[in-house]
Amino acid sequence: MLNAFWESLSGEVTSRWARHLLGPGLLFWALGGLALAQRGDLALFWAEVSQRSGLEQTLMVAAAVLMLILSAVLMQRLRLEWLRLLEGAWPAGLNGLRDLLTRRLAHRIAREETRYQDLKQAEAALTPRQREELTRLEMRLHYVPADPADYGPTRLGNILRAGERDSAYKYGLDALVCWPRLWLLLPAEARNDLAQARERLEEDAVLWGWGLLSLVWVALFPPLGLISLIWMVVAYNLALRSASVYADLIMATFDLYRHKLYTTLGWPLPPPGEAERTHGEKLSEYFWRGTLPE
C-alpha cells in the first residue's frame, strides 16, 4: 500500500545501486558463463576473443562491463515490481491462483490461532517445548492482519499489510492517507531508521528477482536449477526478516508520533480507547477529501 510513497523517495537510494546490486548481477552472469562452459560454447568464445586485436578485446571487455552495469540498473529500477510480486500483487490472470493461496493461508492462520488460544489458556501448565511453541505462534500471529479481509496469498504480503493496517485497527488512521503527512513530522533519526529498513527490504526483493531470473540458465545446464532455487529460498527468508522489521517500525511510528498529526493541524487530541478510532477516521477523511468534522 505504501509502495507509491517510497517510490517517490527512490532518488536517494538509486545512487547506491552498484553497492547493492552489482554483487547479485555478477553471480547471475557467472552462472550464465558456467552454463555456456558446460556446453562448450564458452571455450569457442574465448578462442575467438584470443584471435582479436588488443583494441577489439578492450572494447569487448567494456561492452561486458556495460551490460553488467545496465542489468544492475534495470533490476534496481524494477525493485518495487519484485516486491509487489513477493507481496502477491499479481496480474489479473492469476486471480484464481491468488484466491486459492489466500484461502489456504487463511486456513493455516485459523489453525494457528486456535492452537495459540489453547496453549494460552493452559499457559501455567505448559512444558518448555510448549512454551517455545506458544512464543513462536505469538510471533507469527503478530504479523498477520487483524481483519481476514486483508489476507493475501503470501506470508511476506501479510506481514507488510499487518504493519500498514495496524494504525487503522487501533487508531482509525488510514496509513495510505496519513503516512506522507506523518513522514514530514518525524524526527530525522526516525526517518533514517525507516528509510534504511525499507531499503533493506527492497534489496532483498531484488536479490530474489535475480534468483528467479537465473532460472533461464537451466535450459542450458539443468543442474543450475538447484542453485537458483536455493538462491530464491534464501533471498525470500531474508526478505521476510526485513519485512518484519519494517512492519514493526511502521507500527511503532504511529504508536509514538500519531498525535503530531492532530497538534500540527490544531485539532484536539483524541481520547484514548475506542473513541480514538472515530477521531482517527475523521482525520483520515479530512486528509483525503478535505471533509471537516462536524
Side-chain angles (χ1 to χ4, degrees):
M1 178 170 33
L2 298 180
N3 284 340
F5 171 80
W6 289 107
E7 189 169 12
S8 68
L9 299 179
S10 62
E12 303 173 7
V13 179
T14 302
S15 63
R16 298 192 291 271
W17 62 267
R19 178 167 60 89
H20 300 311
L21 298 179
L22 206 54
L26 278 172
L27 179 56
F28 171 81
W29 291 111
L31 291 178
L34 178 60
L36 291 173
Q38 295 300 317
R39 288 169 51 94
D41 296 340
L42 192 61
L44 294 175
F45 173 75
W46 284 120
E48 175 69 20
V49 170
S50 64
Q51 297 176 6
R52 301 300 181 101
S53 67
L55 177 59
E56 289 177 323
Q57 291 179 4
T58 300
L59 292 176
M60 294 176 73
V61 171
V65 172
L66 180 61
M67 180 180 66
L68 178 61
I69 292 174
L70 290 177
S71 63
V73 171
L74 179 60
M75 289 295 287
Q76 171 71 359
R77 292 292 185 181
L78 293 175
R79 65 193 181 281
L80 293 181
E81 303 308 319
W82 294 120
L83 182 57
R84 291 186 184 103
L85 191 61
L86 291 177
E87 288 184 71
W90 302 335
L94 296 177
N95 282 345
L97 177 61
R98 181 169 59 242
D99 293 342
L100 174 62
L101 293 177
T102 300
R103 288 195 297 270
R104 290 184 59 182
L105 197 56
H107 290 321
R108 191 182 75 181
I109 292 172
R111 290 195 302 269
E112 290 177 345
E113 287 179 339
T114 299
R115 177 61 175 166
Y116 172 78
Q117 293 299 332
D118 292 341
L119 292 173
K120 193 67 175 177
Q121 291 176 3
E123 186 172 8
L126 294 181
T127 66
R129 181 171 297 180
Q130 288 174 326
R131 290 184 181 278
E132 291 179 2
E133 182 184 3
L134 177 63
T135 301
R136 185 170 61 253
L137 287 172
E138 190 167 15
M139 289 298 297
R140 286 180 65 91
L141 294 173
H142 173 71
Y143 297 109
V144 171
D147 187 351
D150 292 326
Y151 290 175
T154 70
R155 184 181 171 192
L156 187 142
N158 284 329
I159 291 174
L160 294 179
R161 274 185 286 275
E164 293 170 356
R165 293 293 296 159
D166 181 72
S167 60
Y169 302 143
K170 293 193 296 189
Y171 310 122
L173 296 172
D174 188 331
L176 178 64
V177 176
C178 297
W179 185 254
R181 283 91 175 169
L182 183 57
W183 174 264
L184 297 175
L185 302 176
L186 296 179
E189 183 177 358
R191 285 194 290 180
N192 184 57
D193 290 342
L194 282 160
Q196 289 182 359
R198 178 69 185 199
E199 184 180 353
R200 284 193 296 269
L201 174 60
E202 292 179 359
E203 289 173 19
D204 293 337
V206 171
L207 180 63
W208 181 88
W210 277 115
L212 178 65
L213 290 181
S214 69
L215 289 172
V216 301
W217 306 125
V218 173
L220 300 178
F221 186 45
L224 289 180
L226 179 60
I227 296 178
S228 299
L229 292 177
I230 293 174
W231 184 342
M232 294 170 64
V233 169
V234 171
Y236 185 71
N237 279 278
L238 289 174
L240 288 177
R241 294 174 59 183
S242 298
S244 299
V245 172
Y246 175 64
D248 282 334
L249 287 176
I250 292 289
M251 296 179 194
T253 299
F254 277 99
D255 290 340
L256 299 177
Y257 299 108
R258 69 187 185 280
H259 287 159
K260 287 180 174 290
L261 294 171
Y262 294 93
T263 57
T264 302
L265 291 176
W267 287 28
L269 293 179
E274 185 64 26
E276 183 172 358
R277 293 189 60 183
T278 302
H279 286 71
E281 291 169 356
K282 292 180 179 179
L283 183 61
S284 298
E285 181 72 13
Y286 172 72
F287 282 147
W288 185 245
R289 303 185 185 278
T291 305
L292 291 171
E294 298 179 358

